Each structure stands twice: as structure tokens, then as C-alpha cells.
Amino acid sequence: MGQAGIATQLWYATPGIRRAGITALVVMTGIIGWLSVATRVEGSPIAPWWPAAGVAAIAVLASRGSRLVVTAGIFVAALAANALLGREFGLTVGYAVANAAEAYVVAQFASRGGPEARLDSLRDVSRFIIAVVLGALVMGLLGGLTAALAVGADFLSSAFALVSSHGSAMLVVAPVALVSRRLARGVRRLEVVVQLTVLVVIVALVFWPGNTLPLAFVPLVALLWAAFRLPITVVAVELLVVAVLATTLAGMGGGAIGQYTDSDPRIAAVLLQLFLVVHACAALFVSAARNDWANVVTQLGAREALLRGGIVNSETGILIAEILDGDRLRVVGVNPTALVALGRETMPPTWGVVGLRISRGQPVFGVAELDDAIRRREIARLELEREGRRFDVDLGLHDGVGGATVMTIVFTDVTTRGERERRAIQAAEQMRDLNRQKDDFIASVSHELRTPVTSILGFVEDLDGADLKPAERVATDVIARNARRLADVIEDVLELGKLSSSAAVSRPTVSFDVIAVTRHCAQDAEGLAVGRAVSMRVESPVDALPIRSVPQDLTRVLANLLSNAVKFTPDGGEVEVRVDPSADGVVISIADHGPGIPPAVLDQVWERFYRVSDAEHRDVPGTGLGLPIVRALVEQRLGGRVELESDGASGTTARVHLPWDRDAATAEASPAIDEDDAVSAGHA
């Protein structure tokens, strides 16, 4: 924040520093206001300018939170300043209200109600000047009414005097605190000293007592020097220097303006205020325009560097040229790839200076077809062969500003592109071969493992009826449990292999009651939670819901989803299963009340072998194959879709959407099914 304006720095400062700074500004407002009135020219109704207005606006801009508190402080400071000068009570109160209201209006509009008001660009300066005009109008309206009601002064003349006095002061004082110091980088101190010295000398000569020549415009020349060459920070400081020096010398009767101080103080004040307004607006606008221009040049330079870097390093050949005088082609830029296509190693210097003649009968780049297209000045697409490499050449024409024509020639290396495409196809084929080998290997190993595991399970079942000792019974249970887990993994791997195979054959569809199949799967899943008291609750708005699909695949889907729900449901909990008809099919919802899947990984749980890595999920056994099998079965075999919903804290809900008839041409019509057949199929 050290590069921002003073007002912004105070806004971001620590509370103690901010309060101290704002208090100092408020007190300064009262002191400067007292001095302005106390030192005004004898007989002048108002001070020639009112710098307290600018200080007050800075104080309100620097406030954090409610600006009304600082506005109230401005009111108190202005009240005290006017009271100390012995002004009328009504005039004192009214002017204090007007000063506070002016500062608040300027701060709010200049900063758009936010913390910062900068003067870095033309838009910033325009908004600031509009804010000053609005604030000065508020001051003129309230102050003019106060003068008219309190002391019987003319409203219009009082209002005009206050508007010009406060507006000119705000334009000169406030910018010192609003300009950003980051814009002072790279400034030459010697030039600043020389320029400031010249400006002070000019202002002193113009306003020196005894000089009555009308030279009030001359200081503007030195200010414009600063606006064009120096940072806006310097311009803001110089405006304040000019205002102080011109006001002091004019008050002493100096210059063409000062000669009216004794004869007509009002005219002298108005002329001085106009002098300050013109110089401030001109200097601020020119300096802000210079900043905008510098920013545009910087951005364009960065874009040009980026564009040139992209062209030079591009594998595509690019040549950009400009047609001059109708018969010359001046090359603006060309990259190495384009030079190779033209049979050159470097670009001749004359291409970018004098250019190439494109008159009839004279070669341009030495490529007949390309040269003919350039002479005809038409968009064309050509083929070019150079040293065993083939290029597609695209020639384009673009009309620029001022009637200039830019020609672009793009050389695409077809040989290199074809080689890349061939390698990509070869790599893809190798990946497919590796994938097939992987699937074959997994299927072969799984089949080999299935036989011994089946034998182990058979002998374990024989041991269940035997008279075993307690230790032997425990060992048998451990063997049985782990053998079943291994058998489940083998079945999952085999199922994934079938689903991944392009030669996989779908089972035929039959009609069955989806509610009956769901209840049977729920009963089987309850057996997985023996000793944990996990219950299943199956609900449906109807007693039977016949569909035409593949019951074996649906059973496998529900078994996997229910198994997951049981594993993650706390002891004594409940798994909620619901079957609902929908417009285009059936929706089966399975909800558990476990830890829930984190929302950030909901898309990743469908990947093979992926498991949630937190402690609550890591302690639950599993291989990460269940959900991939579910999605593949639902989408490939059942013609539906499956989705998961979880907030990561209160459980997970899985929803399986199935069509009424997988084989039907449309999903709107439900087929007529005999309920007895459906129930018997569901029990099969």
C-alpha cells in the first residue's frame, strides 16, 4: 500500500495510525478555514479560495466504516473556526453544515462509495472533477441559503462565490492525496528540479507586485511540460505550489489579477479562482491522458512480444508483409519455418527495408505458383514441395487502417503433420493392444484363482457341520470370511473384464417385478450386518412395479449398492430403500446414514480401484470395484443411469434410473405384463 495515495494509505493503516491521521486532517481543516477567513482581503466577502475543502474531503475519504463520523468532525471543526472569528450564529452553523455536506458528497462520488479514489486515468480524473462540481454545488446551495437567511445577503452572488472558491480549492488540494505514488517510478530528479524551478519563476514573474501585464496563461506552459513529461504525483504537488504562490502574490496586489484587489475584490477573487480551475483541469487531464497512453503502449508492447515469440517458436511457418505503393512487398515478420519453406536460412535485410518487387515478370520469392498468387493479390491455397518436405500454403489479404493492405502467408508442414498423425495412430494401437493384454491377463488369473477358492469354500462348508474345538472354530470362521472376500474380488474383476470387452453379449430381457427383486436383495444384504443390528426399510407407493429388463444385472447392481450402504451405516442404524415410478421409468433410491462421500470426490469414486482416503472410509474393507461395476451395468446392460448424492457429513444416497422397457423404441409407453409372470420372474 506504500504506493497508493495518502487517503488510501490511511484507509488501510492500523486503527491507531488511521485515527490519528484523520484527527489531524480534521483539526487542519478547522485551522486552515480560520486562516483563510482571517487573512482574506479587506472588503472581500469570502476568501479567494478555500483549501480547507480539499483537506476535509481527504479526511472523509480516509475514514473506514461510517464516513458520517468524520463528516460530523468536519462540521465541528468548521463550526469552531467560524465561531472564533465572531461570525453570526446562524451563519456559523449553516456554513459548518455546508462544509461537512460538501466533503461527504465529494468523497462518496469520487470513490463510488468505496475506500479508494485514484487519479491515475482519464476516467478517474473525470469522475473526480464531477465529484468536485457536485460538492461545490452543494456548498453553494447550502451556503447561499445560509447567507441569505442569516445576514440577508444576495443568494445568487453568495452561492456563485462559494461554488468558485470551494471548487477551485478542491481541484488543487485534493489531488495531492489521491494520486498514486507508484506512478513516480523512473522519474529524473534533475528534470523535476529544473521544471519546478522554471514554474516557480514564471508564476512569481506573472504575479509579482507591480506587473500588470495579462500573462496569467504563461504558467500553463510549464504545467503542461510537467503533465507531458513527469508523473502525475509531481503535477499534483506543482498545482498546490502554483495555487499558494499565486494566491499570496495576488493578495499583495501583484499581476493582472492583483490589480483588482483594492478596487473590486470580488472580481479579483473570481479571476484567481478561474485561473486555478483552468490550470488544474488542463494539467490533470493531460497527465491522466499520458498515463492512459503509457498503459496502452505497455500492453501493446507485451502483446507484440508475446505474438512475436509465438510466431518465431511456432512449428507453422508464418510470413507477414505489407504492400507498399502498389508494387512492393515489405516483410514485417517471418519465422524460421517459413524461411525453410522458401529455401532460405535467414531473411535478407532488404526484405524488411526496401521490400520485394511484385511487378509482372519478376520473381518474388522464387516459387512460381506463390509468386503468381502474390502478384494477383488474391486469397489462395497452394501446395509446395521443398527438399523432400511438403507444405500447404495459405495466402490471405487483410485491409488495414488508412488503405494499407497486409498479406499473410502460412506454411503448414504436411510431412511433419502426417508423421505426427502416424505416430499417434501407432501409439493408440499399442495402447489398445496393451489394454487387451491386461484384460486377458486379469481374466486368466481370475479364472485360475476361482478354482482353488471354490475348493476352499467347499471344505469350509463341510467343516461348519463338524464338531470342532473353539480355537478350530475361530480359525474356520476366519478362513471362510477371507475366502468369501477373495471370491467376491475375483467375481468383481471377472465382471469388469466382461463389461470392458467389446465382445460381451447382453443377457436377454424379461418382465419382472422390480419391487420384489429389490426386497429380496435387501433381505440378502441384512445378512451382511449380522451382529451390527443394521436394518433395511424398503418402501414404495405401489405394491408391484413391473418392468422389462435383466433381473440378474439389476440384482448385481443392488447387491453392490446395498453392500456399500450396510458397510458404512453405523451399528444399530437403518438403510432406507425406496422404489418410485417416474414418467420414463423407475427410480430406486438407497440411502445410508454413514460418514458420506466428500462432495469433491463424487466424480472420482466411479474410477476403478479408487477409494476415499479419509480415516472413516479407509477402515472399511473394499477394493474400489463395486461402484465402477454398478455404473457399467446400469449404463451398458440396463440402459439407465446412476448417480450419487452426498454432503460429506450425513450419509450418501444412490439413485438408479431404469427405463420401463430396455428394448422399447420409446421410453414413454409401458408394456402390458402379466403380473403373475412378473412376480414369478422376480422370485426366480
Side-chain angles (χ1 to χ4, degrees):
M1 295 309 303
Q3 297 174 354
I6 297 172
T8 303
Q9 290 185 59
L10 277 179
W11 196 92
Y12 284 104
T14 59
I17 296 176
R18 184 171 61 254
R19 282 194 291 267
I22 293 174
T23 302
L25 289 171
V26 171
V27 173
M28 193 184 302
T29 299
I31 294 173
I32 295 175
W34 180 84
L35 287 172
S36 297
V37 177
T39 59
R40 72 186 187 277
V41 178
E42 185 71 23
S44 176
I46 59 171
W49 68 308
W50 193 261
V55 179
I58 295 169
V60 179
L61 275 169
S63 63
R64 194 166 188 169
S66 176
R67 285 175 169 166
L68 294 177
V69 176
V70 181
T71 304
I74 300 298
F75 167 78
V76 173
L79 191 70
N82 284 282
L84 290 174
L85 291 167
R87 284 189 163 184
E88 297 274 347
F89 176 77
L91 200 66
T92 299
V93 174
Y95 277 175
V97 171
N99 276 277
E102 176 192 31
Y104 184 82
V105 168
V106 172
Q108 285 294 103
F109 192 86
S111 65
R112 304 179 184 89
E116 294 187 77
R118 294 180 178 271
L119 293 181
D120 296 347
S121 64
L122 273 176
R123 179 177 294 181
D124 295 337
V125 171
S126 300
R127 190 172 189 85
F128 170 70
I129 291 177
I130 294 173
V132 170
V133 171
L134 291 176
L137 289 175
V138 169
M139 181 66 204
L141 176 62
L142 296 180
L145 287 174
T146 297
L149 296 176
V151 295
D154 181 66
F155 169 77
L156 289 178
S157 61
S158 299
F160 177 78
L162 289 169
V163 167
S164 57
S165 173
H166 283 246
S168 61
M170 190 80 72
L171 284 173
V172 170
V173 176
V176 176
L178 301 183
V179 291
S180 175
R181 289 192 293 167
R182 67 182 174 82
L183 299 176
R185 292 179 179 177
V187 61
R188 298 178 180 178
R189 295 184 179 181
L190 179 60
E191 183 177 4
V192 173
V193 172
V194 172
Q195 191 273 334
L196 181 58
T197 303
V198 171
L199 177 64
V200 171
V201 171
I202 290 176
V203 174
L205 291 175
V206 170
F207 287 93
W208 197 258
N211 177 30
T212 59
L213 295 175
L215 301 174
F217 64 90
V218 178
L220 185 59
V221 177
L223 274 177
L224 291 179
W225 172 9
F228 277 111
R229 292 280 304 167
L230 303 177
I232 194 170
T233 309
V234 177
V235 175
V237 173
E238 290 187 356
L239 280 174
L240 186 58
V241 171
V242 169
V244 173
L245 192 58
T247 303
T248 303
L249 294 176
M252 297 168 58
I257 294 175
Q259 65 180 322
Y260 296 102
T261 301
D262 295 329
S263 60
D264 194 343
R266 185 183 297 274
I267 291 296
V270 171
L271 290 175
L272 180 62
Q273 290 151 9
L274 288 175
F275 167 82
L276 296 178
V277 168
V278 170
H279 282 65
C281 289
L284 290 175
F285 268 118
V286 171
S287 188
R290 174 179 173 271
N291 286 343
D292 287 347
W293 172 79
N295 290 333
V296 170
V297 169
T298 302
Q299 294 174 9
L300 289 177
R303 292 177 183 176
E304 182 182 4
L306 182 64
L307 180 61
R308 285 186 179 276
I311 291 176
V312 170
N313 298 321
S314 174
E315 294 183 0
T316 300
I318 300 174
L319 185 146
I320 302 174
E322 182 181 8
I323 298 177
L324 300 176
D325 303 329
D327 63 347
R328 283 186 298 124
L329 193 70
R330 184 171 66 87
V331 177
V332 178
V334 61
N335 66 353
T337 306
L339 290 173
V340 170
L342 294 173
R344 293 181 176 271
E345 295 183 357
T346 59
M347 183 184 84
T350 55
W351 285 13
V353 181
V354 180
L356 297 147
R357 290 286 181 181
I358 55 176
S359 55
R360 185 175 298 277
Q362 187 171 350
V364 184
F365 292 113
V367 182
E369 293 183 352
L370 178 60
D371 291 350
D372 289 341
I374 292 173
R375 294 190 195 96
R376 292 194 302 269
R377 302 177 196 178
E378 61 183 21
I379 298 174
R381 185 177 181 85
L382 315 168
E383 289 187 2
L384 173 65
E385 188 167 347
R386 178 77 65 178
E387 298 179 359
R389 298 172 63 180
R390 291 178 53 250
F391 295 90
D392 284 342
V393 184
D394 292 283
L395 189 147
L397 295 173
H398 311 275
D399 293 329
V401 180
T405 301
V406 176
M407 179 177 292
T408 59
I409 306 175
V410 179
F411 301 86
T412 304
D413 192 338
V414 180
T415 306
T416 304
R417 184 179 63 187
E419 180 64 21
R420 284 200 301 266
E421 291 175 353
R422 187 187 64 79
R423 291 178 181 176
I425 293 172
Q426 185 178 5
E429 187 61 34
Q430 290 176 352
M431 290 297 296
R432 281 193 290 269
D433 290 339
L434 290 173
N435 195 46
R436 283 193 293 267
Q437 293 175 22
K438 177 205 67 176
D439 290 339
D440 293 342
F441 172 76
I442 292 175
S444 176
V445 171
S446 300
H447 279 291
E448 291 297 327
L449 289 173
R450 176 189 274 179
T451 300
V453 170
T454 303
S455 300
I456 293 171
L457 286 172
F459 284 113
V460 169
E461 290 175 359
D462 291 340
L463 290 174
D464 281 342
D467 185 15
L468 300 175
K469 296 178 182 180
E472 294 172 342
R473 176 62 61 187
V474 172
T476 301
D477 291 341
V478 171
I479 294 171
R481 184 169 60 253
N482 285 282
R484 290 192 185 95
R485 287 180 59 188
L486 183 57
D488 290 340
V489 172
I490 293 171
E491 289 301 321
D492 286 343
V493 171
L494 288 173
E495 188 65 41
L496 274 177
K498 294 176 184 177
L499 292 169
S500 301
S501 174
S502 59
V505 180
S506 298
R507 296 185 178 96
T509 59
V510 296
S511 299
F512 62 93
D513 181 8
V514 68
I515 296 177
V517 171
T518 304
R519 291 187 186 278
H520 292 161
C521 292
Q523 290 173 1
D524 294 340
E526 280 186 329
L528 301 173
V530 176
R532 294 180 53 216
V534 175
S535 61
M536 294 279 177
R537 178 159 57 92
V538 182
E539 294 181 344
S540 179
V542 294
D543 295 331
L545 203 57
I547 66 171
R548 187 172 186 85
S549 191
V550 183
Q552 299 94 327
D553 293 336
L554 178 59
T555 299
R556 187 64 184 272
V557 168
L558 295 177
N560 275 315
L561 294 177
L562 289 167
S563 172
N564 280 346
V566 169
K567 285 190 292 186
F568 291 105
T569 297
D571 294 354
E574 184 180 58
V575 176
E576 300 170 7
V577 184
R578 184 171 180 84
V579 184
D580 293 299
S582 66
D584 54 356
V586 177
V587 180
I588 305 173
S589 303
I590 300 172
D592 64 63
H593 297 283
I597 301 173
V601 300
L602 277 175
D603 292 335
Q604 300 178 47
V605 296
W606 300 110
E607 299 174 6
R608 297 182 182 186
F609 303 107
Y610 179 85
R611 300 201 65 207
V612 181
S613 58
D614 59 36
E616 293 176 313
H617 291 79
R618 193 167 50 246
D619 294 340
V620 177
T623 60
L625 294 175
L627 288 177
I629 290 174
V630 166
R631 170 173 274 189
L633 284 171
V634 172
E635 295 180 352
Q636 298 178 25
R637 298 278 185 84
L638 300 177
R641 71 180 192 277
V642 61
E643 60 191 16
L644 294 176
E645 181 181 310
S646 174
D647 59 2
S650 57
T652 301
T653 300
R655 291 189 180 88
V656 179
H657 299 260
L658 300 174
W660 289 115
D661 186 349
R662 195 194 70 175
D663 296 333
T666 62
E668 287 80 13
S670 175
I673 304 171
D674 185 88
E675 292 189 11
D676 294 335
D677 293 341
V679 174
S680 62
H683 284 271

